[in-house]
């Protein structure tokens, strides 16, 4: 997960309690070049009824196509979110955000500021391996082309979630569309390399998988978003190779990667996973020696 | 209360009001004003930031108060000194400012002493007097409750001073404090970089790494001096073999163009800020930063290209810690980026090393071959070729090693380069071994000779001499082989092959028929190296020598010594083949002496010693042979044979089983009644019906056994069916193959003759039945008029089977081929040789005699030809239904006609018609026609 991205989101959050539902919803709506403060009174199909503050004419209904953007004042407790993040309470954090977004979910298909929070939820659910929810959020973000970076990330997480959920055919179709099944050049984006490596691992083409993942390590060593997951992926692929080829040398490779993860990324989620992998490596080594 | 403070009272207010009403005196003209007036003037300008204008006034006040002893005036003087110093600092005239600071510090009172000390330190910083800064820092740190600004500034100055004086440990704390508290990004950056550099100097890698990880999360990672620091640190670590720590730092180093790009953008932003500022101070600061960046850019520009070296080092580190593929992708990148550079070459080699480490030999080979094609004169061409050849040799891909020969000769060689020469010698050595393994001793000899002639100083030369001897030996060139082994012994007494060279010399002497010398050599070897791995072979060969000796009065029992040697050979064998040879040799010699029980004993001894690794089938064959002779046929021998067939028959490699089958048929023919024979066939049929699936080799063997027991026609029928139906010959064994070869010969089926003989020879080269394959091959070649190949096949067959009774065909084919090649004299010689083998009396001799006649006929020596034809019909009329006699008659008559002896010719033909062996021969009709034509009837 992008720590920089997440912290940017946290920085924008306010220190208040969580809002309740049912009342008209405060919002800033932009139609054309004009942005107005007011309340969304209701939504009926493709019409949104909005009452602008300070206008005596009352509420006006607008077709959703005409709305450029809606900004909701989403209220979450920044400090507690930060703490949950630091304590790796991802499920609790997701639940908190879901609750905060709940009043606005009716409008999630529209261009709103919900996208950034949905992006966070998408990553959180992936982290806790709730792939269905990951895909739920990803599929929405994929359609929103206001933020190309977020859109691209959503496609990546969609692919990762499909893999995680074992929906291989769909994953393969998506990967094919995105070119994540081919050999990628050295300067391909880190996320493309990562997901292609995962795909190749799934296909048990371990040599190509490890070479692809290695390109992240080699050429994107400054990208902390993908380096750590890539390191972990390398460890897993080396373990697969050791088993497939009955070659304990690859267990040495995996051990080395695990060691580096433990030293470099001490308190990360990946370090915990790596510690568990170490136990598996030891067990595999015994088997191979037998 | 000083003057200024008094001004603040009511009187002061009045005073100021008067001043204001009267207007302010002109700046330069202070002479007429009072101290208070001048001071007021100065104060106002200070408040407005007009430092330059305030200065003269302050100087004026100071000049009037500096020597005063009045407390108030002294305070005023001190204040002026302090403010003057500040102004000079603001204006950038540090040295003047420092003068006043010193002056301030040398006088009383000094309420601003700490700040003054700070200013002094600042001054020392400007003139780079680090020691003074450090001293001041020490003084200031004794104060409690320092002003935060002063503390901040002093930490900053002291940190830098410690750094500049290489007191790296001491600089850390002050710089870290500043870095933590400042909000000035520039200062933060300076501190971060200095701390990083100090940690590099202190080689405190753990702290360095944690520090840099933190710093690298900011734009500081683009700082040129930081990157240079990281490279410096990484290099030190790498040189101290701290690979992992080096890796951590190398990974953070950014490429030159990234650093340059960021620096350019930073300068752009700073230039924009300069435009927007009014403050000289800020302007100077900004310009200072721009200058620093430009300086760093210059350093970067002048730096030798480092990216590739960093990439290479990172790759090496990864490969060293077994992160093979991480290293590989870096090496591959380098090779693509810089294929014509040294580092590109080195990267190519490293890629190969990684491929080999992960056992991707195909990719290793592809890379090596690509390199060899693109850069035959590349630094690592020969090294890579050597690796490739070695890999194939280890994997026993000998043909592939031989295919790589062209590179061994085509790569340019610098004879003055010792390493290159050494590698080249190694290549010849490995190539020689590949030839040895593919049984091309002449070519291996050639390679060893090259090594000995051109690289006699190489480490391989001594062993090459021994193995060249082996190559000669395999070509039966015992004389040259012996020379090499003797030279080897003379020059290499401490070589581990020395004992073996003694043994091999004995083999050569044996080959040269110097039997006594050979025996002595084997004895020498056995006595000196009783535990050597090949001592068993020495015993076997010495046993053979003993067995070949005639019994004399002086030495009545050489066979006893032979048997003793064979037994020792079995005892000392380290592999099954070493044991089986003497075991069966012993059996053969016992057979000569009719010592049947001894055969049984030695076979049991052999089986006990080697158990499942023994050639059990062959042993049982011999035991059976002995049991037959001991009249234990139906109770012991036959059940043992059948048992061996069932037990080992599914293994095509157990050729003893085929031998047992042949012997079983032989026994049945010679000893069994029809009923007993029939019982045996039924027994085998029952066994075949109960064979599990998957034991097809056994099934086929039983089929062959039954067919042979049932008679020649049945066996031929089986062979014909097998020939047609069996596409996959993997279930065949010598027994079935020999039947099929014979049928293929009889039917003239060239394709089958080739298929069967090729398979047979390739898979069962040691089989006693292999002559069937050679016969099929030779006849096939004869039919195709490939006479040279005929001779080769015959030579191979005769080399293995000599003049056994079933080998007459080989001698005849040899002679026929020579005849067809028009070498009539040699052909005649070969025909004649066939006549001298007692076992071939009969058809073979008849054909040979006839052949000799044909040779003389071809040489137009009709008289001699006639005499051979005559002998044919006189001596061999009883054979082959009189065919040869009939042919002899006709040919003799023809000769007589050529000699113009018509009457004798007619007599000859008439004699044929009257000869009861030939009168009804198919050729008789032809003779009758002939006689009519020549008027002899």
């Amino acid at each position: 997960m992008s720590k920089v991205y997440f912290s940017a989101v946290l920085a924008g959050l306010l220190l208040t309690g969580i809002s309740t539902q049912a009342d008209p919803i405060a919002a800033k709506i932009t139609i054309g070049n004009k942005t107005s403060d007011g309340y969304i009174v209701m939504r009926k199909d493709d019409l949104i009824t909005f009452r602008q503050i300070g206008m005596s004419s009352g509420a006006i209904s607008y077709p959703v196509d005409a709305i450029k953007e809606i900004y909701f004042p989403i209220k979450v407790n920044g400090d507690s979110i930060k703490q949950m993040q630091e304590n790796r309470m991802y499920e609790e954090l997701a639940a908190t955000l879901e609750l905060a977004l709940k009043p606005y979910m009716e409008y999630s298909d529209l261009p709103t500021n919900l996208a950034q929070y949905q992006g966070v939820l998408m990553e959180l659910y992936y982290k806790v391996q709730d792939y269905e929810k990951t895909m739920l959020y990803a599929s929405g973000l994929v359609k929103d082309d206001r933020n190309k970076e977020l859109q691209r990330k959503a496609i990546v997480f969609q692919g990762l979630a499909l893999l995680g959920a074992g929906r291989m055919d769909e994953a393969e179709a998506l990967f094919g569309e995105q070119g994540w099944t081919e050999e990628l050049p050295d300067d391909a984006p880190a996320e493309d390399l990562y997901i292609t490596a995962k795909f190749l691992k799934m296909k048990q083409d371990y040599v190509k998988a490890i070479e692809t993942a290695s390109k992240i390590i080699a050429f994107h060593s400054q990208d902390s978003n993908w380096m750590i997951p890539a390191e972990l992926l390398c460890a897993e692929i080396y373990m697969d190779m050791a088993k497939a080829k009955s070659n304990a040398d690859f267990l040495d490779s995996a051990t080395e990667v695990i060691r580096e993860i433990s030293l470099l990324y001490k308190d990360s989620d990946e370090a915990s996973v790596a510690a568990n992998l170490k136990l598996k490596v030891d067990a595999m080594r015994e088997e191979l020696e037998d | 209360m000083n003057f200024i403070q008094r001004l603040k009272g009511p009187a002061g207010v009045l005073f100021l009001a008067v001043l204001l009403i009267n207007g302010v005196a002109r700046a330069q003209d202070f002479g007429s004003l009072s101290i208070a007036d001048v001071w007021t003037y100065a104060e106002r300008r200070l408040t407005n930031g007009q430092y330059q204008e305030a200065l003269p006034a302050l100087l004026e006040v100071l000049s009037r108060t500096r020597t005063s002893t009045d407390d108030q005036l002294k305070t005023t003087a001190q204040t002026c000194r302090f403010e003057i110093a500040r102004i000079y600092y603001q204006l950038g005239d540090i040295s003047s400012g420092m003068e006043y600071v010193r002056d301030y510090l040398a006088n009383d009172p000094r309420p601003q002493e700490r700040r003054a000390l700070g200013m002094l330190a600042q001054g020392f910083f400007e003139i780079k007097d680090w020691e003074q800064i450090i001293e001041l820092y020490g003084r200031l740190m004794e104060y409690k409750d320092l002003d935060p600004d002063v503390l901040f500034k002093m930490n900053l100055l002291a940190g830098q001073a410690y750094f500049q004086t290489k007191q790296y440990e001491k600089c850390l704390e002050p710089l870290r404090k500043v870095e933590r508290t400042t909000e000035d990004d520039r200062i933060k950056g300076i501190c971060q970089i200095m701390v990083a550099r100090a940690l590099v100097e202190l080689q405190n890698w753990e702290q360095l790494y944690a520090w840099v990880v933190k710093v690298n999360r900011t734009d500081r990672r683009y700082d040129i001096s930081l990157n240079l620091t990281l490279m410096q640190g990484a290099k030190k670590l790498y040189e101290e073999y701290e690979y992992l720590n080096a890796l951590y730092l190398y990974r953070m180093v950014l490429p030159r163009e990234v650093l340059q790009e960021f620096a350019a953008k930073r300068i752009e932003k700073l230039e924009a800020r300069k435009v927007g500022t009014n403050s000289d101070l800020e302007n100077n600061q900004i310009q200072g930063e721009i200058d620093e960046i430009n300086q760093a850019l210059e350093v970067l520009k002048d730096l030798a290209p480092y990216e590739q070296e960093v990439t290479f080092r990172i790759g090496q580190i990864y490969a060293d810690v077994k992160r093979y593929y991480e290293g590989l992708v870096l090496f591959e990148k380098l090779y693509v980026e810089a294929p014509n550079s040294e580092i590109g070459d080195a990267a190519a080699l490293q890629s190969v090393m990684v491929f080999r480490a992960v056992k991707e030999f195909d990719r290793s080979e592809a890379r090596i071959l690509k390199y060899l094609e693109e850069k035959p004169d590349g630094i690592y061409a020969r090294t890579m070729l050597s690796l490739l050849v070695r890999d194939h040799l280890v994997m026993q891909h000998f043909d592939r090693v031989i295919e790589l020969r062209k590179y061994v000769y085509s790569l340019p060689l610098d004879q003055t380069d010792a390493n290159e020469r050494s590698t080249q010698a190694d290549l010849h050595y490995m190539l020689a071994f590949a030839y040895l393994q593919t049984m091309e001793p002449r070519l291996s000899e050639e390679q060893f000779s090259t090594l000995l002639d051109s690289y006699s100083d190489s480490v391989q030369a001594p062993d090459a001499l021994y193995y060249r001897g082996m190559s000669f030996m395999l070509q039966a060139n015992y004389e040259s082989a012996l020379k090499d082994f003797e030279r080897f012994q003379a020059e290499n007494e401490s070589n581990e092959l020395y004992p073996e060279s003694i043994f091999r010399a004995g083999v050569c002497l044996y080959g040269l028929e110097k039997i006594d010398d050979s025996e002595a050599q084997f004895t020498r070897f056995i006595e000196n190296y009783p535990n050597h791995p090949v001592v068993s072979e020495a015993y076997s060969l010495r046993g053979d020598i003993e067995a070949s000796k005639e019994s004399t009065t002086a030495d009545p029992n050489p066979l006893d010594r032979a048997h003793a040697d064979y037994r020792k050979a079995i005892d000392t064998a380290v592999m099954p083949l070493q044991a089986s040879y003497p075991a069966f040799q012993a059996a053969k010699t016992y057979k000569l002496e009719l010592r049947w029980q001894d055969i049984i004993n030695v076979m049991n001894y052999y089986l006990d010693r080697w158990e499942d690794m023994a050639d059990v089938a062959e042993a049982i064959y011999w035991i059976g042979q002995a049991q037959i002779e001991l009249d234990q046929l139906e109770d012991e021998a036959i059940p043992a044979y059948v048992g061996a067939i069932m037990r080992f028959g599914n293994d095509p490699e157990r050729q003893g089983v085929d031998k047992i089958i042949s012997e079983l048929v032989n026994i049945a023919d010679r000893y069994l009644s029809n009923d007993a024979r029939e019982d045996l066939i039924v027994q085998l049929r029952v066994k075949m019906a109960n064979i599990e699936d998957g034991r097809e080799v056994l099934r086929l063997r039983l089929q062959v056994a039954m067919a042979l027991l049932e008679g020649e026609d049945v066996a031929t029928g089986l062979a014909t069916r097998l020939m047609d139906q069996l596409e996959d010959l993997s279930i065949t064994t010598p027994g079935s193959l020999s039947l099929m070869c014979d049928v293929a010969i009889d039917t003239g089926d060239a394709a089958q003759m080739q298929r069967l003989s090729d398979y047979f020879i390739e898979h069962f080269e040691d089989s006693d039945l292999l002559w069937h394959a050679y016969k099929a091959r030779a006849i096939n070649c004869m039919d195709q008029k490939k006479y040279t190949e005929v001779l080769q096949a015959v030579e191979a067959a005769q080399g293995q089977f000599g003049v056994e009774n079933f080998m007459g065909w080989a001698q005849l084919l040899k002679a026929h081929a020579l005849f067809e090649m028009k070498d009539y004299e040699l052909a005649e010689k070969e025909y004649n040789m066939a006549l001298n083998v007692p076992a071939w009396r009969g058809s073979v001799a008849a054909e040979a005699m006839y052949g000799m006649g044909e040779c003389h006929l071809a040489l137009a020596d009709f008289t001699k030809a006639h005499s051979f034809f005559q002998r044919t019909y006189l001596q061999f009329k009883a054979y082959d239904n009189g065919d040869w006699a009939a042919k002899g008659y006709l040919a003799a008559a023809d000769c007589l006609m050529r000699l113009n002896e018509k009457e004798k010719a007619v007599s000859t033909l008439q004699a044929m018609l009257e000869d009861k062996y030939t009168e009804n021969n198919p050729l008789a009709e032809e003779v009758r026609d002939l006689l009519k034509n020549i008027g002899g009837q």
Side-chain angles (χ1 to χ4, degrees), chain B residues 450-491:
Chain B
T450 301
L451 215 163
L452 289 164
D453 294 339
S454 306
Y455 305 94
S456 56
D457 55 341
S458 67
V459 297
Q460 296 88 351
D463 286 12
L465 181 59
Y466 171 86
Y467 286 111
R468 191 177 68 174
M470 288 291 290
S471 303
F472 279 132
M473 202 177 80
L474 289 169
Q475 296 174 75
N477 184 349
Y478 299 114
E479 201 167 324
S480 301
L482 185 63
K483 274 191 193 143
D484 272 355
F485 290 132
E486 285 174 345
R487 183 180 146 199
F488 179 85
Q489 286 167 49
E491 295 173 4

Side-chain angles (χ1 to χ4, degrees), chain B residues 275-336:
Chain B
V275 168
T277 185
N278 289 323
S279 161
D280 290 342
L281 184 64
E282 197 180 334
N283 225 343
N284 288 340
Q285 277 182 346
I286 293 170
Q287 189 56 47
E289 197 179 332
I290 291 173
D291 291 342
E292 274 175 21
I293 295 172
N294 278 325
Q295 257 178 6
L297 278 171
E298 279 302 309
V299 170
L300 192 64
K301 196 172 110 191
D302 291 338
L303 204 60
Y306 62 84
E307 294 87 341
Q308 288 177 352
E309 190 186 329
V310 168
T311 302
F312 187 81
R313 290 240 170 130
I314 295 174
Q316 274 192 313
I317 292 169
Y318 277 133
D320 282 344
V321 299
K322 293 191 178 180
R323 292 191 69 167
Y324 299 114
Y325 288 92
E326 290 85 337
L328 178 68
V329 299
L330 289 163
F331 294 135
E332 297 283 86
K333 179 172 187 258
L334 268 177
Y335 185 60
V336 166

Side-chain angles (χ1 to χ4, degrees), chain A residues 87-119:
Chain A
N87 294 335
R88 295 195 249 162
M89 295 162 63
Y90 301 123
E91 278 157 342
E92 291 83 350
L93 180 52
T96 303
L97 283 175
E98 291 261 26
L99 203 54
L101 295 186
K102 193 171 171 186
Y104 313 105
M105 287 314 289
E106 194 183 348
Y107 307 97
S108 63
D109 61 318
L110 303 178
T112 66
N113 63 326
L114 299 178
Q116 56 185 334
Y117 301 98
Q118 289 169 329

Side-chain angles (χ1 to χ4, degrees), chain B residues 343-531:
Chain B
I343 212 161
D345 275 342
L349 178 63
Q350 292 302 316
S351 289
V352 165
M353 301 302 286
V354 168
F355 283 134
R356 294 172 77 243
V358 297
K359 299 186 179 19
E360 288 201 55
F361 294 109
D362 289 344
R363 290 177 81 181
S364 166
E365 177 160 1
R367 171 53 43 79
I368 291 172
L369 291 177
K370 186 169 189 285
Y371 187 89
L372 293 178
E373 291 299 324
E374 289 172 357
K375 305 179 79 175
D377 53 351
I379 304 173
Y380 300 109
R382 189 163 273 102
T383 304
M384 287 206 212
L385 177 62
S386 175
L387 289 172
L388 182 59
V389 168
R390 187 173 303 281
D391 286 341
H392 279 300
L393 202 63
V394 166
M395 290 188 285
Q396 301 189 20
H397 300 160
F398 305 119
D399 290 337
R400 188 67 190 118
V401 171
I402 291 166
E403 282 171 20
L404 293 168
R405 177 197 164 107
K406 63 180 182 186
Y407 295 108
V408 176
Y409 285 95
S410 66
L411 296 182
L413 175 63
D414 177 1
Q415 291 285 357
T416 61
D417 186 328
N419 286 334
E420 286 282 282
R421 279 176 50 80
S422 170
T423 309
Q424 186 68 11
D426 202 32
L427 283 166
H428 284 294
Y429 192 71
M430 289 192 281
L431 192 50
F433 267 100
Y435 281 129
L436 262 184
Q437 293 288 347
T438 52
M439 298 308 292
E440 293 194 74
R442 188 183 62 76
L443 293 170
S444 69
E445 175 218 318
E446 183 187 276
Q447 291 302 313
F448 287 127
S449 292
T450 301
L451 215 163
L452 289 164
D453 294 339
S454 306
Y455 305 94
S456 56
D457 55 341
S458 67
V459 297
Q460 296 88 351
D463 286 12
L465 181 59
Y466 171 86
Y467 286 111
R468 191 177 68 174
M470 288 291 290
S471 303
F472 279 132
M473 202 177 80
L474 289 169
Q475 296 174 75
N477 184 349
Y478 299 114
E479 201 167 324
S480 301
L482 185 63
K483 274 191 193 143
D484 272 355
F485 290 132
E486 285 174 345
R487 183 180 146 199
F488 179 85
Q489 286 167 49
E491 295 173 4
N492 300 284
E493 206 174 318
S494 56
N495 189 300
E496 64 176 12
L497 291 171
Y498 180 84
E500 241 168 286
S501 70
I502 298 174
F503 170 71
R504 301 292 174 199
V507 173
C508 291
L509 288 163
Y510 188 92
L512 290 167
E513 296 181 16
K514 294 183 182 175
I515 305 299
D516 290 343
D517 292 339
S518 172
E519 184 181 357
Q521 192 80 346
F522 291 136
T523 301
R524 177 184 160 206
F525 177 74
I526 289 167
E527 283 171 2
N528 286 297
Y529 305 100
N531 299 315

